[in-house]
Amino acid sequence: DNIKPKLDWLEQRLDLDDMAVSKIVRQFPTILGLSIPNKLEPTLAWLQQRLSLTDRELSNLMQKIPALFGYSVDTNIEPTLNFFIEALGDEDRALALLVRSPDLFSKSLEKRLKPRLEEARIAGLDIDAGCLSRIGKYTNKQWIASVDFQTRQLPPEQ
């Protein structure tokens, strides 16, 4: 039975109590099937190093979105991080946005983030952290209404 060592590892690695570990497992039961040396630890190490997180910040991040344990660094996490860095043109602001709103890592680059960024640019919107947060978090209906509202706020072209 390899579940107890995994639970113990999570408690120790993220400085969690039994209740916090239980919540992570309830939210992302697949974690119990993931390898510590091949998946869990490399993902945590990458996130901590790349996002410049303290142990406490890493623990908070993983408690907010336990599904991150299962994401591929190469095909999901890193490309999403790079998208936000490029869109904002500022790595520190992109890191701050993603640490504040880690659920943005769960949004599809191809189906949501990239198309909506293009829509925002075509509409002439300021691409800032607020815009990028809306790009990721808003439903289609909210997004369309937001773009419409914001374009009506833009000064007329000269």
Side-chain angles (χ1 to χ4, degrees):
D1 188 35
N2 69 349
I3 292 175
K4 174 103 173 81
K6 196 163 291 176
L7 298 176
D8 291 343
W9 179 84
L10 281 169
E11 280 187 17
Q12 183 274 322
R13 179 63 173 88
L14 296 174
D15 192 26
L16 301 172
D17 60 20
D18 288 346
M19 192 179 320
V21 171
S22 175
K23 184 176 177 186
I24 285 174
V25 171
R26 280 194 316 275
Q27 290 178 331
F28 187 66
T30 307
I31 195 170
L32 297 176
L34 299 177
S35 163
I36 292 170
N38 296 328
K39 180 66 178 166
L40 299 177
E41 182 55 42
T43 299
L44 290 180
W46 190 93
L47 285 165
Q48 186 164 26
Q49 186 274 324
R50 189 62 185 89
L51 302 181
S52 303
L53 301 173
T54 66
D55 288 346
R56 171 68 17 224
E57 290 167 332
L58 178 66
S59 180
N60 290 339
L61 180 82
M62 300 313 289
Q63 289 177 75
K64 284 182 186 176
I65 184 162
L68 273 174
F69 283 110
Y71 291 178
S72 164
V73 169
D74 294 335
T75 61
N76 182 274
I77 299 173
E78 189 169 29
T80 301
L81 172 61
N82 290 336
F83 167 84
F84 284 100
I85 291 170
E86 290 167 18
L88 282 171
D90 184 301
E91 184 168 326
D92 290 339
R93 290 189 312 155
L95 294 175
L97 172 63
L98 289 165
V99 169
R100 194 171 54 250
S101 301
D103 56 313
L104 292 171
F105 280 113
S106 70
K107 308 306 178 191
S108 170
L109 271 174
E110 300 305 322
K111 293 180 182 172
R112 176 174 288 198
L113 299 176
K114 288 179 180 178
R116 286 185 177 182
L117 177 61
E118 184 63 22
E119 290 171 11
R121 286 182 170 150
I122 290 169
L125 303 182
D126 277 340
I127 309 301
D128 58 12
C131 178
L132 289 173
S133 183
R134 290 186 295 278
I135 281 172
K137 293 181 178 189
Y138 278 13
T139 64
N140 284 336
K141 186 176 179 179
Q142 290 171 317
W143 173 246
I144 291 165
S146 174
V147 171
D148 181 56
F149 174 80
Q150 291 177 72
T151 54
R152 283 186 275 120
Q153 305 305 312
L154 293 172
E157 291 189 32
Q158 302 300 327

